[in-house]
Amino acid sequence: MTTAAIIVAAGRGTRAGGDLPKQWQPLAGRPVLAHTLAAFRAAAGVSRTLLVIHPDDRARAEALPGVAEGKVELVEGGASRDASVRNALEALAGAGIERVLIHDGARPLVAPELIARTLAALEAAPGAAPAVPVSDALWRGEGGRVVGTQDRTGLFRAQTPQAFRYEAILAAHRAHPGGAADDVEVARAAGLEVAIVEGCEDNLKVTYPGDFARAERLLALAAGL
């Protein structure tokens, strides 16, 4: 099956601090996005890679490995995450793509095994996404005080890449009014079944300043340093 990867990186990522959006900040000497793109360019079965960017970031994007060589295609994002994903999906229309992986650009530590098992789950469902079961106790709070607890049974922390049969997720995005938190929400709104795939604790999303140090430690461990 022909498979495309969509890397969503058009956001501004202000919670991470710094002078640049988090996906452009350095991680182990390279932009976060360079690590993310490398993971998908090396993934088995991925024939096309699209990077969704903010228009202001085009010059930075053109300097990334793979872009200048024409191995990574640039797509300008929209006003929201789901609009950005739809732009990329529309760019693939008519190209014979059968499966698509949609991934957060700020998750630079995605493992090949996670990509492979997420794609494999599409054999039994039109959508599949990795997740990690919630293991911590959950509280409800008001005014800085604990006011109750929440049962964690059946709760998961969602991750990416989220994989879909291409035509199904394109139709789902075209029908969605917007404002979805992720592509699983878009898919479920269209009535698509989404299989839960075993996620990975190391597949962190860089969100806060401290996440860069953790990601660098994980990269060093993976490299045997």
Side-chain angles (χ1 to χ4, degrees), residues 14-37:
T14 55
R15 288 178 293 177
D19 297 329
L20 295 173
K22 61 188 178 183
Q23 64 269 32
W24 299 107
Q25 292 190 39
L27 175 66
R30 297 192 292 165
V32 168
L33 271 178
H35 297 277
T36 308
L37 288 174

Side-chain angles (χ1 to χ4, degrees), residues 1-5 45-48 95-100 119 164 166:
M1 286 189 174
T2 53
T3 303
V46 176
S47 56
R48 290 180 66 177
I97 296 297
E98 297 170 278
R99 306 182 300 184
V100 62
L119 282 174
F164 303 93
Y166 171 72

Side-chain angles (χ1 to χ4, degrees), residues 27-28 30 35 108-109 111-112 202 214-225:
L27 175 66
R30 297 192 292 165
H35 297 277
L109 300 171
D202 290 350
R214 181 185 170 200
E216 289 209 1
R217 289 195 298 270
L218 291 170
L219 284 170
L221 285 171
L225 301 177

Side-chain angles (χ1 to χ4, degrees), residues 71-222:
K71 297 177 181 178
V72 176
E73 304 164 49
L74 299 182
V75 176
E76 290 194 358
S80 62
R81 185 188 188 281
D82 48 4
S84 292
V85 172
R86 178 171 173 176
N87 286 357
L89 290 170
E90 296 286 2
L92 292 168
I97 296 297
E98 297 170 278
R99 306 182 300 184
V100 62
L101 291 154
I102 305 171
H103 187 67
D104 296 324
R107 289 188 188 269
L109 300 171
V110 59
E113 297 82 7
L114 179 57
I115 296 172
R117 66 175 174 262
T118 304
L119 282 174
L122 291 183
E123 296 296 325
V132 177
V134 172
S135 57
D136 296 322
L138 296 175
W139 299 337
R140 292 191 303 275
E142 290 180 10
R145 299 290 187 272
V146 177
V147 297
T149 57
Q150 177 69 46
D151 182 12
R152 61 178 180 251
T153 304
L155 295 181
F156 293 82
R157 290 184 284 118
Q159 296 186 335
T160 66
Q162 297 175 355
F164 303 93
R165 296 174 191 167
Y166 171 72
E167 293 293 346
I169 194 62
L170 174 61
H173 267 276
R174 285 174 172 173
H176 199 273
D182 65 4
D183 299 286
V184 167
E185 183 176 343
V186 174
R188 294 191 68 251
L192 299 178
E193 182 182 85
V194 180
I196 298 175
V197 176
E198 180 186 358
C200 177
E201 288 288 354
D202 290 350
N203 183 27
L204 80 148
K205 184 177 182 181
V206 175
T207 305
Y208 300 105
D211 293 335
F212 290 94
R214 181 185 170 200
E216 289 209 1
R217 289 195 298 270
L218 291 170
L219 284 170
L221 285 171

